[in-house]
Amino acid sequence: MKNEYTTLAVTLSLTGAAVYLLSRAHPAINADSLVGFGVVLMLLAMAAAEYRITWKKLIGR
């Protein structure tokens, strides 16, 4: 259970950081593209949580 909270917190913080960096790097991005980007990231985060993908499985240690 604790691991799932950590995964959720990491994915949400990465999403927030990506949105912040995208808004700073390219100010012409409109709200529709930010919502679409957020939806895609959340789908990836949900898939990672559903299939229990961990950094150990990805990196190999």
Side-chain angles (χ1 to χ4, degrees), residues 12-24 34 37 41:
L12 289 177
S13 64
L14 288 176
T15 303
V19 168
Y20 175 74
L21 289 175
L22 280 175
S23 68
R24 292 303 230 168
L34 283 179
F37 184 72
L41 284 178

Side-chain angles (χ1 to χ4, degrees), residues 2-51:
K2 182 180 176 184
N3 208 7
E4 291 175 8
Y5 290 136
T6 305
T7 305
L8 178 63
V10 168
T11 55
L12 289 177
S13 64
L14 288 176
T15 303
V19 168
Y20 175 74
L21 289 175
L22 280 175
S23 68
R24 292 303 230 168
H26 198 286
I29 294 176
N30 56 10
D32 292 336
S33 62
L34 283 179
V35 169
F37 184 72
V39 167
V40 169
L41 284 178
M42 288 309 296
L43 286 173
L44 289 174
M46 288 173 54
E50 183 70 26
Y51 291 111

